[in-house]
Amino acid sequence: MIIRPATPLDLADLLAGCRFAISEPAYKLLLRQVAGKAWAGFSSPATPPATAGAPLVVPEALAGIYGDGSRPSVVWFLVSPSIGSKLAALVIRGRELLREQAPLHPEGLVAGVVPGNRAGERLAVALGFQATGVIACRQQVWLYGAPSVGGAVGGEADEQIRGRSVRGR
């Protein structure tokens, strides 16, 4: 999985290929966040930066961290439904980014997953988040805890992700 800084064009391209609608206020919020600290994930090693006249290469995922340092920063992910077998690579790179970024956010990292969104819940667990049971803004709050060797995130989660991606081929 190739990771590079995300652009507003990446956000528009990914959303155009997804099967869900997003409200205008949510889009504007994501656009502000993409302009801050956000990354785009591509499976092609030849992915050029999104520039005018470049061939259209749509990212499989976007992720970002949004916060002002006064409270836990929010980690967000948008993953294309077509990611399929590339999910394992996304999880591995996502974990690396989270391990690098966590020390820069001393107030902590949180994510929100709509209850019942099984794919979102599996992704949160695989990336090292733990469910709190707290619901805020119609989403369950998940706390990030750095993955530990041999812990729930790592071997077992890796096998689950890899098993799903192998069977999905």
Side-chain angles (χ1 to χ4, degrees), residues 3 39 63 65 92-102:
I3 305 291
W39 301 271
I65 300 175
I92 290 166
R93 293 291 289 135
R95 280 195 209 143
E96 291 170 1
L97 279 171
L98 285 167
R99 279 193 295 269
E100 292 169 9
Q101 292 295 314

Side-chain angles (χ1 to χ4, degrees), residues 1-3 83 85-95 161 165:
M1 179 71 56
I2 305 300
I3 305 291
I83 195 158
S85 64
K86 296 170 259 180
L87 182 59
L90 171 71
V91 168
I92 290 166
R93 293 291 289 135
R95 280 195 209 143
I161 294 295
S165 59

Side-chain angles (χ1 to χ4, degrees), residues 63-90:
I65 300 175
Y66 185 75
D68 61 9
S70 65
R71 57 182 170 226
S73 296
V74 175
V75 177
W76 57 270
F77 292 90
L78 291 175
V79 181
S80 170
S82 64
I83 195 158
S85 64
K86 296 170 259 180
L87 182 59
L90 171 71

